[in-house]
Amino acid sequence: MTFNLSGGDTDCESTVLARSPAALGERLFFITAPDSLGRLPLPPEVSPDDLTWHLTEWAVGSATARFITELPGLADLAVSPDGRSVIAAVASDHVGGVWSVDVRTGKKTRIAGGARAYHPSFSPDGKRFVYVEKLERLKFAEAR
């Protein structure tokens, strides 16, 4: 998927790779790869794992998106029920695991270690979460 940086016409040349949308009400969180700007489609020798990924927030109806923080790798996202945090399950051999990001400040904290984390989901009360580890097992943890 591509995301238009200006929020305007999708035919413009300012598009970047975007993925992992997670919505809460009128807010949409997703990751973008700014270093894909002007390189789409990516050449075969460039893997999405080689790109820098940014956690981005967009309020529906807004003309622009807001950068929150850089993530340590390609991630799947989940938004807490109160909208104060996003968890990013990062699938990377070096910095994999689950990271919690404070949406207001952009501060990120690793809350679950291990390589290759995928598909996080919060419990309805936001106190716990689950994710898939190494595409082999479900892992449950406390949200911090």
Side-chain angles (χ1 to χ4, degrees), residues 2-3 8 17 23 34 36-37 69 74 85 103 129 136:
T2 59
F3 173 71
L17 286 178
S36 68
L37 181 64
T69 192
L74 192 58
S85 65
V103 170
F129 67 94
E136 297 173 350

Side-chain angles (χ1 to χ4, degrees), residues 109-128:
T109 306
R110 192 173 188 183
I111 57 175
R116 305 268 173 214
Y118 303 90
H119 311 298
S121 181
F122 273 100
S123 63
D125 64 6
K127 293 181 180 178
R128 297 181 53 80

Side-chain angles (χ1 to χ4, degrees), residues 65-83:
R66 178 177 77 91
F67 165 80
I68 296 174
T69 192
E70 186 176 312
L71 293 175
L74 192 58
D76 293 327
L77 304 178
V79 184
S80 66
D82 64 9

Side-chain angles (χ1 to χ4, degrees), residues 19-25 27-31 55-58 76-80 86-87 120:
R19 60 171 282 151
S20 301
L24 181 67
R27 297 162 64 197
L28 178 65
F29 298 88
F30 53 97
I31 60 173
L55 176 59
T56 306
E57 177 183 15
W58 180 60
D76 293 327
L77 304 178
V79 184
S80 66
V86 170
I87 52 175

